[in-house]
Amino acid sequence: MVAISLRKARTIVRKALEKGRELELKPLSVVVLDAGGHVQAFEREDGASPGRFDIARGKAYGAVMLGMSGSAQLARAEQQAFFMAAMNGAFGGKVVPVPGGVLVRDGKGAVIGAVGVTGDTSDNDALAAMAGIEGAGLTGEA
């Protein structure tokens, strides 16, 4: 299995933040998790609230642990709220099931981690996450 290296994780963070500046988004926070849900890299822009780490991590954590993007989690929550509530309970309340949690896949389609972005609208967070992933030469699933 290919892992997200520290160099790639830092590139994802940098490119996601660059996209946020390009789009004039509110201050962003970006986390990159490996396939086991462990933090590989994190940055919080000046002006971002201190709670943004937990939100970004929750978006990415739900994506990697459930194998579905934040958008897919939101759709699932809307269709089966009990399922997502149960999953959030199973993961100790760490799942934030909204866009901005993006799966990262290798060239063969295997999940190698996830990115969580927070700070602006969830859809804009997802755009920034995808820009970071693509900027690192990887494939994202928003």
Side-chain angles (χ1 to χ4, degrees):
M1 176 180 81
V2 177
I4 298 176
S5 68
L6 180 58
R7 184 177 62 78
K8 289 273 188 186
R10 287 178 172 163
T11 298
I12 290 168
V13 170
R14 187 179 81 250
K15 294 292 189 179
L17 294 176
E18 286 174 5
K19 186 65 170 181
R21 297 297 51 84
E22 175 190 321
L23 297 175
E24 298 181 0
L25 303 182
K26 294 176 184 174
L28 299 178
S29 296
V30 182
V31 69
V32 179
L33 304 182
D34 66 15
H38 303 99
V39 176
Q40 186 74 353
F42 171 75
E43 284 192 31
R44 180 175 60 90
E45 287 187 302
D46 293 343
S49 63
R52 292 295 176 172
F53 170 78
D54 292 320
I55 297 168
R57 182 178 179 273
K59 288 181 175 189
Y61 192 77
V64 76
M65 292 311 213
L66 295 171
M68 63 175 73
S69 69
S71 299
Q73 291 174 63
L74 178 61
R76 186 77 182 260
E78 289 171 341
Q79 295 168 2
Q80 294 179 308
F82 64 91
F83 173 79
M84 286 308 296
M87 291 304 95
N88 210 0
F91 293 118
K94 296 177 186 174
V95 175
V96 178
V98 296
V102 180
L103 287 171
V104 181
R105 295 185 181 274
D106 67 13
K108 295 181 180 179
V111 173
I112 59 171
V115 175
V117 177
T118 184
D120 205 86
T121 67
S122 291
D123 289 337
N124 284 339
D125 293 344
L127 286 173
M130 286 297 293
I133 294 164
E134 291 168 0
L138 297 169
T139 302
E141 180 182 322

